[in-house]
Amino acid sequence: MSDTALAETLVASDVAAYLRRHPEFLADYPDLAAQLTLPREQGPVASLAVYQLQSLREKNAELERQLAGLIAIAAENERLMQRVHDLNVAVLRANTPAVAARSVVARLSEDFKTDQVRLLLFGAVGLAPATWLINIPGGRTAVPEFADFLSHHEPVAGRLSAERLYRLFGDQAPEVRSTAIMPLGEFGILAIGSADPDHFQPGMGTLFLKMIAATVTAALRRSQEGM
């Protein structure tokens, strides 16, 4: 069969499919392998062996980068877990609701490197006035801007509307560029704010936020039962 006739019956995909079924083909025809032009960003390489070796090295380098990233994430998660544990211990050691509340605020400010912390509580709270405490006697109906947030019972991270920011942080609202807010069941909302716009992001995991919220909610419930 002439080259012209062969070209009419074979297409590149047929050749590729055949080579996939017979990976040893080039080993049987080393002269052909030496003549092939292999695609590289830096230009053709000298041989198939060099091409394969370089490809393996690049794959290994990429796997090493991915592994280093996973190790860094695991290390950061371990540090966060230790901070949540320290927060739990501080709340358990608190002998009054006021001490428990102050412990939460102090830990969130120091250990979690946040610039602003606010505890917004519904109804009578039995706590002395503080810059981080917001008392809402009218309950959740008095904060309609958070109605949808409270109905979903899930933490939210990222940037808040100006209305929500002012409700939580008052005159400090312009300094808060990103926030994480956590529902505290029937008790209220815990908010932490940062001047860094990337500190809290919508795509970040909320597991640790849920753990913090659970700790604070349990402390509030315990204090209410003791009243």
Side-chain angles (χ1 to χ4, degrees):
M1 182 180 293
S2 66
D3 289 345
T4 302
L6 184 62
E8 292 176 351
T9 58
L10 282 178
V11 294
S13 58
D14 295 327
V15 177
Y18 179 85
L19 291 175
R20 289 191 183 95
R21 294 195 302 271
H22 302 85
E24 74 287 350
F25 180 82
L26 292 178
D28 297 333
Y29 298 90
D31 58 322
L32 177 60
Q35 297 176 42
L36 292 176
T37 300
L38 301 173
R40 301 295 295 153
E41 292 181 0
Q42 301 86 352
V45 296
S47 69
L48 183 60
V50 174
Y51 172 73
Q52 291 175 327
L53 179 60
Q54 184 63 24
S55 295
L56 286 174
R57 285 175 175 170
E58 291 178 357
K59 289 179 181 178
N60 286 339
E62 177 60 26
L63 289 174
E64 288 179 357
R65 285 193 291 270
Q66 293 178 7
L67 180 60
L70 291 173
I71 291 174
I73 291 172
E76 178 60 22
N77 285 342
E78 184 177 359
R79 288 190 289 269
L80 283 172
M81 184 64 75
Q82 182 61 51
R83 292 168 191 161
V84 172
H85 172 72
D86 293 342
L87 175 65
N88 290 337
V89 172
V91 171
L92 287 173
R93 286 177 174 172
N95 53 9
T96 68
V99 173
R102 286 198 300 270
S103 297
V104 168
V105 173
R107 289 287 178 179
L108 290 177
S109 299
E110 298 169 10
D111 295 348
F112 292 85
K113 296 179 174 60
T114 57
D115 299 307
Q116 301 286 341
V117 180
R118 293 294 185 274
L119 189 58
L120 185 151
L121 298 178
F122 303 140
V125 296
L127 297 176
T131 56
W132 44 263
L133 179 63
I134 304 171
N135 183 219
I136 307 293
R140 63 176 60 205
T141 58
V143 285
E145 61 269 49
F146 289 103
D148 59 335
F149 164 71
L150 292 169
S151 66
H152 289 100
H153 311 289
E154 291 288 332
V156 171
R159 299 183 183 183
L160 296 182
S161 66
E163 184 182 22
R164 287 183 169 185
L165 279 175
Y166 184 77
R167 169 69 79 168
L168 292 170
F169 301 104
D171 293 339
Q172 280 71 48
E175 303 171 12
V176 179
R177 306 293 300 281
S178 65
T179 60
I181 54 177
M182 294 152 272
L184 304 177
E186 71 273 23
F187 298 107
I189 299 171
L190 175 63
I192 48 182
S194 173
D196 180 358
D198 298 320
H199 191 79
F200 298 109
Q201 302 181 36
M204 69 182 293
T206 58
L207 174 61
F208 293 107
L209 297 178
K210 290 178 181 178
M211 295 172 67
I212 293 170
T215 296
V216 177
T217 301
L220 291 170
R221 183 166 290 112
R222 186 180 64 176
S223 66
Q224 188 180 67
E225 291 171 354
M227 293 176 61

